[in-house]
Amino acid sequence: MDYSYDSRHFNSMQISPDQGDPKPHTPSQSESVPLPMDLPDTVPFSVHDWARWKSQPAFYSSPRQYAGYGSPRDSDAEPRSWNQLPQEFMGEPTGYPDQYRPHLAIPMADTSEALPSHSECQCHPGWPVMDSGHEFKSQTYDFATHLDPIQPLQSSPPSPLSEISSYHSPQSLAAASPSMTAHSTDRLSPRLSTAEQKQERSGHLPYSALIYNALKAAPGNKLPLQGIYNWFQENTDKGADPSEKGWQNSIRHNLSMNAGFEAVKEEPKPGEKPVNLWRLTPEAIRKGCIESTTRYRKLQNQRKAQYAANRAPQRQSTGKGNHTMKVVKSRSANSPHGERNDAFHQQIMTEEYGPTSLPSMQQYMQRPMGTVVGCTSMVPDTNAVFLDPPAPTFAMGNGLPGWYPTESGSNRVQDQPEYMIHGQYNHER
DNA sequence: AACGTTAAACAAT
DNA sequence: ATTGTTTAACGTT
């Protein structure tokens, strides 16, 4: 069984007679942007990749080289949540640059990234890993600036919104790169329903890995929250029930809690409403992996031993709601973020972030996990900050196994949990 | 014990 | 209402 998001998979999805895609794709002119012909056969990130990534480091590249998947069925007539984005985010329908035209930008951007360069993944020394095509210079980084030039649209598409919604679809890939269909060998059974395929492809990956996939495939490795939602709806079995909002909550939770993701504000035009995007940090891109979202508990446990005592509660119940009793459990002593009161971090806040209109604590807590690496200010036009932890106080990890590489790289564990290998993780209850 | 998920409180917009 | 942050709790491994 193979869960790969595979270009061949998408190609065969397109050509399979039982695919049941109700809206056959009609390649638009804009999709005829030439693609490099040497796309690896298997590029994206999958459950199986995770397993192999752990078990066969010698000849498997880290899951950073995923290009070639996005919305498997979004087509021209089916704009989804992208069209909820403000126009300034989507860009002028006929103008450019528009870094959010994924079908134009992604294949080239990520393909170039997929070219081997024989570097090593920091998470897994010795393992071949593809260098990021992105450069992070002078403490600033803007993935979009490293994308290949975006060509203006040659003619009006059926709908400008469809340009967005056809987000890097496999159809567009196939249309743009016919050679990719030459040796189509679907690694997913075509007998599976679309929902089943989604489930197989992503159902066993944790949220953080799925978000990583979504962002990794996105132009500039960034998406608005709605775009992430949309990706989940298109590529996972989550969100099948539109009335169910828990998965969205989980996504937001993961975005907030995982240091591999960071929020960035973009202001397309002066004076207009800024757009919040979620982006992979350079660290995450460079390593091609995402650390455990719940690793803050490590810090929590560490600090339990260090700081036994009395800190003021950071949040108390206001008395609203039905579960006011849930709160008060003296968690201040166990707070994973006690270090924010340290002088060192006070310094960071004042010197690096500086005064802003946003609450400084909220800004700082954007990366609450101690190690501030690859953070960028929420304030536009402000240089990003890259700090290394100066003291073991901020070291991540506790030496215990985990399937995510650790940020420091010193605690990496090559074991693959059974539930990741066999997809047995079951959180139903 | 660590992890991923889910629910929820809460704040900001 | 949406977005983002944080904590708590639960089930699984």
Side-chain angles (χ1 to χ4, degrees):
Chain A
M1 188 155 52
D2 194 321
Y3 302 115
S4 293
Y5 293 88
D6 188 309
S7 59
R8 290 168 298 177
H9 158 63
F10 290 120
N11 293 334
S12 57
M13 279 181 66
Q14 184 192 12
I15 63 179
S16 169
D18 348 300
Q19 250 332 287
D21 188 336
K23 299 178 179 63
H25 177 72
T26 302
S28 66
Q29 286 192 24
S30 58
E31 287 168 338
S32 62
V33 174
L35 285 171
M37 294 298 111
D38 55 352
L39 273 173
D41 286 335
T42 302
V43 281
F45 197 114
S46 69
V47 174
H48 195 70
D49 289 343
W50 279 111
R52 293 204 297 175
W53 189 28
K54 290 290 187 183
S55 60
Q56 301 180 20
F59 39 84
Y60 187 67
S61 299
S62 83
R64 57 166 20 275
Q65 31 173 331
Y66 336 118
Y69 67 96
S71 301
R73 62 183 182 88
D74 252 1
S75 56
D76 288 341
E78 196 178 37
R80 298 176 67 97
S81 55
W82 274 102
N83 60 11
Q84 298 171 6
L85 299 174
Q87 182 65 33
E88 63 268 21
F89 170 75
M90 293 185 288
E92 296 293 331
T94 57
Y96 71 103
D98 183 345
Q99 59 192 280
Y100 308 112
R101 291 201 170 129
H103 66 290
L104 291 174
I106 290 180
M108 290 174 285
D110 274 5
T111 296
S112 63
E113 190 172 314
L115 296 177
S117 59
H118 309 295
S119 63
E120 284 188 3
C121 177
Q122 282 198 356
C123 314
H124 306 267
W127 298 11
V129 56
M130 306 308 171
D131 259 352
S132 169
H134 307 305
E135 298 176 10
F136 306 110
K137 296 177 180 176
S138 307
Q139 296 186 329
T140 64
Y141 56 96
D142 183 351
F143 299 107
T145 62
H146 300 290
L147 298 177
D148 288 348
I150 298 175
Q151 301 303 316
L153 298 179
Q154 298 301 313
S155 61
S156 298
S159 162
L161 299 180
S162 69
E163 292 292 321
I164 304 300
S165 62
S166 63
Y167 177 75
H168 198 212
S169 69
Q171 290 87 349
S172 63
L173 282 175
S177 180
S179 69
M180 294 167 63
T181 65
H183 55 296
S184 293
T185 304
D186 201 345
R187 300 166 76 183
L188 289 178
S189 167
R191 296 185 300 274
L192 295 178
S193 68
T194 300
E196 287 168 335
Q197 289 184 7
K198 285 182 181 179
Q199 214 278 333
E200 287 224 344
R201 273 159 26 209
S202 62
H204 308 302
L205 285 174
Y207 275 96
S208 57
L210 292 171
I211 295 171
Y212 181 96
N213 279 350
L215 296 178
K216 195 66 182 65
N221 299 128
K222 52 191 174 183
L223 282 173
L225 183 62
Q226 289 294 328
I228 298 174
Y229 289 166
N230 186 43
W231 187 94
F232 268 70
Q233 288 184 296
E234 299 295 343
N235 296 283
T236 78
D237 59 345
K238 297 180 173 64
D241 182 2
S243 63
E244 186 60 44
K245 295 293 183 183
W247 63 279
Q248 296 182 344
N249 193 359
S250 293
I251 289 174
R252 295 196 304 273
H253 166 83
N254 275 264
L255 287 170
S256 289
M257 299 308 295
N258 197 301
F261 311 126
E262 61 184 356
V264 289
K265 267 193 168 62
E266 290 206 349
E267 205 157 0
K269 295 176 183 177
E272 294 196 2
K273 187 189 297 181
V275 176
N276 245 6
L277 300 177
W278 285 96
R279 173 173 62 183
L280 293 176
T281 64
E283 284 291 298
I285 293 172
R286 182 170 54 81
K287 294 172 180 166
C289 45
I290 286 292
E291 198 174 345
S292 166
T293 295
T294 54
R295 76 205 184 297
Y296 68 90
R297 290 173 188 165
K298 300 174 184 176
L299 199 60
Q300 181 172 351
N301 293 334
Q302 285 178 347
R303 295 190 176 282
K304 271 184 185 175
Q306 292 184 1
Y307 308 94
N310 33 5
R311 293 174 181 266
Q314 299 187 1
R315 192 180 66 187
Q316 290 182 336
S317 170
T318 61
K320 292 192 292 185
N322 299 326
H323 301 80
T324 58
M325 301 310 294
K326 177 182 176 180
V327 191
V328 207
K329 228 183 175 184
S330 176
R331 50 198 186 196
S332 57
N334 298 335
S335 170
H337 310 312
E339 73 274 16
R340 74 167 64 103
N341 294 323
D342 297 349
F344 175 74
H345 285 83
Q346 295 285 351
Q347 187 178 4
I348 289 180
M349 290 172 62
T350 54
E351 291 188 358
E352 300 294 348
Y353 285 95
T356 81
S357 59
L358 291 172
S360 58
M361 185 59 72
Q362 179 176 345
Q363 269 200 14
Y364 171 67
M365 287 163 66
Q366 184 64 37
R367 294 274 69 85
M369 294 308 145
T371 308
V372 183
V373 174
C375 287
T376 188
S377 169
M378 300 281 286
V379 182
D381 301 322
T382 302
N383 284 347
V385 179
F386 297 93
L387 298 176
D388 280 327
T393 308
F394 308 103
M396 290 294 145
N398 55 2
L400 293 173
W403 65 282
Y404 289 95
T406 64
E407 198 158 329
S408 66
S410 59
N411 290 323
R412 74 184 62 82
V413 177
Q414 313 257 334
D415 301 333
Q416 175 64 32
E418 287 300 308
Y419 67 87
M420 290 310 299
I421 296 176
H422 301 298
Q424 293 173 343
Y425 183 75
N426 182 4
H427 55 78
E428 291 182 8
R429 51 177 185 264

